[in-house]
Amino acid sequence: MALINKFFPSVNRIEYRPDASPEDSMVFRHYNPNETVHDRTMEEWLRFSPCYFNMFRYFGTDDHYGYRTHIRPWDEGYSWTAKHNGRTNYDMGSKYMDKSTYDMGGKYMDKSTYDVGKRSMSPHRAYDDVRKGRINPPIPLSYCGYDDRKGRSWENGSRSLSNYKRRMQAAFEFFSKLGVRYYSASDRDFAPEGENWEETNSMLEETTNMACNLQQHSGMRPLYFAADLFSHPRYMNGAATNPDFHVFAYACAQVKQAMDMAKRLQAENFVFFHPRDGYQNPLQRQIYRDIQHLGHLYRMAAQYKDKIGYKGHLLIQPKPFDPLRHQYESDAMSTMQMLQHFGMEKSYKLYVKPAWSRMMGRPYYHDVYMASTFSMLGLVDAADSYPEVNGTSDICSVNVHDATIVMKCYMEQKTRSYKSGNEYGYGGFTLSCRVHRESFEPRDMFHGMILTMDTYACALKNAARMLSDGCFARNLHQRYISYKSGFGDKLDKGSTSFEECEEYIRSPGDVQVHSSRHEQHEQMFNYYVYPSVKYSDGYSGRMLGSSWKSTERLQYETAIEISRDSK
């Protein structure tokens, strides 16, 4: 199966052009996959992976505040202004439908709303009706399918298997033109649910074969794969933590199927993401039992991973409180504590999304540092959030300052700059950003990815210069110098007692306080994020590439000579 140039014909492969004009936005200005940084290429460091769900299953809805706005070329038949004339042409029916939807007559109407008038509102029934030809009168296949009539972001413009296949072709075309080697997806990204378990798996088998063929021709594979345990209404009260054991059992079976798919697709990681496993009211929950059931799920998954010989890593993504509930795995520390409590800390690592740290009123980089400190950092999500705008997340990253702090931690882990989880794979960055509702053209999807990739590529170069110069390492070493010998060394190793501490403080007298020099360190940090010269003196050899113009190189070398003369 050859890769196609059908859905984004006006977009070529995105190239690295640091000298591009401001309006030439279909280029990378910082991300050069072949540029070497600290003995690895940018591509090896960052391992960017667009999120299938946010790129290809989000259509610009604002939940119940608005219908979809995004027009996608693979979603055949969709148009804002398609006038389907409501019930005059088709029997829309009235079950499950309010009068406003019934009488809209098609104007500004999501085609999924136009198609809800079938025998059943269920996703599997809509698929089954089309497949078995039970729609009366017949509707062309390009218009078939189901969607929530409010156009919620977790549903699609069409639930037909043919549309899922078109979307997959469009996705691989998008990934190829973006120039990435990885993507991230879940089972329900590939195919809808069928009438029963066997039919669902049959459709997944068909689309998995298609994905394997596309991967073979494109050289891509998933950075992570996952089971979607949140979209279907059966999971409205949670998956593993559902009070109904039948739902829990279904979630386990779905994870098993998704892990089989992950092995076939050669996914490097398998992610557990539980946005509905939490509580809305503790009066309705046995909280420890819920958390214990999560532990059972993770135990079974680790056992099944070994049984089938899956070589990927198991990751858990903490999530704070969205949608409208308080998650049990709310942050890195609570998730690590749960894993340790159930003896699973050696089987799992964390997939950290800094945007959710910001949503909780913490610094963007908080959970990245917490996970890395305990050797538990696996993947990082490069999306950002607007905490001041109703907790909006999954926006494209533009904050180079905060991204640089994340990259500094990430690179220190990978270069063994301190005790960390360096032995754990090579990590990577998932691009789970989605473009704004107002950015409805397909080209805007590229703009969003380019923006985020350049933000983190710039952050990578900033962090690399910090590590090369070593100024932060020297200052940090000096700040903790008192622990290097004598009684400080005993305290550091935990080999003292309260009585010894009391005896010691009698002799030196009062404590001599020292300034933290907080502002100085912020100033030092800004030197790397917003340098006064192109690059620092100590890192010119490895950071400067052949693409740098000779005039710029001359200006840089002149600035360095002036700096040396002044010293």
Side-chain angles (χ1 to χ4, degrees):
M1 184 182 298
L3 288 177
I4 54 180
N5 184 31
K6 175 181 178 182
F7 302 107
F8 305 96
S10 64
V11 179
N12 297 318
R13 185 181 175 96
I14 309 301
E15 298 178 348
Y16 172 64
R17 284 180 50 200
D19 57 345
S21 67
E23 294 182 345
D24 191 358
S25 54
M26 279 292 187
V27 297
F28 294 119
R29 292 183 174 83
H30 294 279
Y31 178 60
N32 179 7
N34 298 318
E35 182 177 345
T36 300
V37 179
H38 270 284
D39 302 322
R40 291 184 190 173
T41 65
M42 277 194 178
E43 185 177 56
E44 292 171 332
W45 273 115
L46 295 166
R47 307 177 93 217
F48 284 130
S49 166
C51 175
Y52 200 117
F53 182 87
N54 279 359
M55 279 288 100
F56 291 91
R57 286 179 64 191
Y58 171 70
F59 296 100
T61 60
D62 278 347
D63 293 329
H64 57 286
Y65 290 108
Y67 294 104
R68 55 181 289 187
T69 61
H70 293 175
I71 300 172
R72 297 296 180 241
W74 59 86
D75 191 13
E76 293 181 1
Y78 172 72
S79 171
W80 283 345
T81 57
K83 297 182 179 180
H84 302 305
N85 298 321
R87 61 182 297 185
T88 59
N89 288 340
Y90 301 102
D91 181 17
M92 295 284 287
S94 60
K95 191 177 182 181
Y96 304 108
M97 296 184 67
D98 57 30
K99 187 175 186 301
S100 61
T101 304
Y102 184 76
D103 292 336
M104 280 181 68
K107 189 174 183 180
Y108 302 111
M109 191 169 166
D110 188 340
K111 77 179 180 65
S112 58
T113 310
Y114 155 66
D115 286 332
V116 295
K118 300 184 172 59
R119 264 186 327 115
S120 167
M121 286 288 289
S122 66
H124 56 77
R125 177 66 68 188
Y127 166 80
D128 197 53
D129 282 351
V130 172
R131 186 177 63 85
K132 297 178 181 178
R134 288 201 294 251
I135 297 177
N136 187 24
I139 297 177
L141 184 60
S142 59
Y143 289 96
C144 66
Y146 163 90
D147 191 7
D148 178 78
R149 57 196 169 98
K150 295 294 187 182
R152 295 187 185 277
S153 61
W154 53 264
E155 273 293 0
N156 315 271
S158 168
R159 297 293 293 176
S160 66
L161 184 61
S162 60
N163 197 57
Y164 274 75
K165 291 181 178 180
R166 285 194 303 272
R167 184 186 299 124
M168 183 178 289
Q169 288 181 313
F172 274 87
E173 180 182 340
F174 179 83
F175 302 149
S176 178
K177 289 185 174 182
L178 197 60
V180 296
R181 294 170 53 192
Y182 301 95
Y183 68 97
S184 296
S186 69
D187 51 357
R188 295 301 179 255
D189 293 338
F190 279 19
E193 296 204 31
E195 179 74 13
N196 50 51
W197 179 251
E198 287 71 24
E199 188 173 61
T200 298
N201 290 343
S202 175
M203 288 188 288
L204 285 174
E205 175 72 16
E206 185 175 347
T207 52
T208 301
N209 290 337
M210 180 178 174
C212 287
N213 290 334
L214 288 167
Q215 287 186 184
Q216 183 177 1
H217 285 83
S218 64
M220 301 174 196
R221 59 173 171 162
L223 187 64
Y224 80 71
F225 199 75
D228 181 341
L229 303 180
F230 55 92
S231 290
H232 196 279
R234 76 170 64 90
Y235 296 126
M236 68 175 70
N237 289 311
T241 66
N242 199 293
D244 185 347
F245 85 91
H246 195 176
V247 177
F248 184 14
Y250 198 102
C252 292
Q254 187 175 337
V255 169
K256 173 185 176 295
Q257 178 71 21
M259 291 184 72
D260 290 335
M261 294 174 65
K263 181 182 178 182
R264 283 195 59 195
L265 295 166
Q266 297 182 316
E268 294 204 3
N269 304 276
F270 190 88
V271 167
F272 290 85
F273 174 58
H274 303 295
R276 304 199 188 278
D277 283 325
Y279 71 90
Q280 291 171 305
N281 188 335
L283 301 177
Q284 297 178 295
R285 288 287 187 171
Q286 294 180 346
I287 292 179
Y288 182 76
R289 173 176 278 184
D290 286 351
I291 297 174
Q292 189 177 44
H293 289 171
L294 275 173
H296 292 336
L297 175 68
Y298 295 147
R299 172 186 54 78
M300 287 186 278
Q303 291 172 345
Y304 191 67
K305 171 182 179 291
D306 294 337
K307 181 177 181 179
I308 65 176
Y310 174 52
K311 302 302 182 183
H313 306 293
L314 301 180
L315 306 180
I316 300 173
Q317 185 180 51
K319 188 171 179 14
F321 46 74
D322 182 58
L324 302 179
R325 72 192 68 224
H326 301 280
Q327 264 74 33
Y328 296 132
E329 301 163 311
S330 61
D331 60 7
M333 294 299 291
S334 63
T335 306
M336 289 188 291
Q337 168 60 27
M338 183 199 66
L339 287 171
Q340 187 174 35
H341 179 82
F342 293 111
M344 302 300 298
E345 69 274 12
K346 294 184 179 179
S347 300
Y348 289 83
K349 301 290 182 182
L350 300 189
Y351 165 33
V352 175
K353 188 169 186 174
W356 285 330
S357 295
R358 199 191 296 283
M359 287 175 64
M360 296 182 73
R362 298 169 178 171
Y364 179 76
Y365 39 80
H366 175 83
D367 270 14
V368 172
Y369 273 82
M370 293 301 103
S372 184
T373 296
F374 289 92
S375 303
M376 292 290 285
L377 181 61
L379 301 182
V380 177
D381 194 310
D384 206 339
S385 63
Y386 288 144
E388 69 277 8
V389 186
N390 197 28
T392 301
S393 65
D394 296 344
I395 65 171
C396 301
S397 291
V398 298
N399 192 325
V400 177
H401 181 282
D402 286 357
T404 299
I405 303 180
V406 169
M407 284 305 313
K408 180 177 180 294
C409 176
Y410 183 82
M411 292 189 71
E412 285 174 332
Q413 173 171 293
K414 298 302 178 185
T415 56
R416 298 184 183 271
S417 296
Y418 63 90
K419 184 179 179 182
S420 67
N422 181 70
E423 69 279 3
Y424 175 66
Y426 290 96
F429 288 81
T430 301
L431 305 169
S432 71
C433 329
R434 59 188 183 191
V435 294
H436 284 70
R437 186 170 187 258
E438 300 84 359
S439 302
F440 60 85
E441 295 178 348
R443 287 175 62 89
D444 296 323
M445 299 168 64
F446 285 95
H447 291 142
M449 292 292 98
I450 293 168
L451 173 62
T452 302
M453 293 168 73
D454 260 357
T455 295
Y456 267 84
C458 182
L460 171 66
K461 292 186 286 187
N462 294 341
R465 295 195 295 274
M466 289 182 194
L467 297 186
S468 180
D469 291 352
C471 65
F472 279 94
R474 290 191 298 272
N475 279 270
L476 200 59
H477 178 271
Q478 185 62 34
R479 194 173 190 200
Y480 285 85
I481 195 67
S482 66
Y483 287 99
K484 292 298 181 181
S485 61
F487 194 78
D489 183 58
K490 293 182 64 178
L491 269 174
D492 194 45
K493 294 176 179 177
S495 58
T496 59
S497 65
F498 279 170
E499 292 81 2
E500 289 178 291
C501 290
E502 183 181 20
E503 181 180 353
Y504 174 80
I505 67 167
R506 295 179 186 275
S507 55
D510 290 339
V511 174
Q512 299 297 314
V513 297
H514 303 279
S515 172
S516 69
R517 299 178 179 176
H518 174 85
E519 292 75 16
Q520 179 190 3
H521 283 78
E522 292 283 5
Q523 186 180 6
M524 289 165 49
F525 190 83
N526 274 0
Y527 169 81
Y528 294 97
V529 180
Y530 314 107
S532 55
V533 293
K534 191 72 175 180
Y535 297 113
S536 66
D537 188 8
Y539 203 70
S540 59
R542 279 178 288 179
M543 287 303 299
L544 301 182
S546 58
S547 62
W548 207 24
K549 289 184 175 181
S550 59
T551 55
E552 292 176 311
R553 186 183 299 275
L554 179 60
Q555 291 173 356
Y556 164 75
E557 292 174 349
T558 302
I560 294 301
E561 289 299 325
I562 294 173
S563 176
R564 287 172 177 166
D565 292 343
S566 65
K567 295 178 181 178

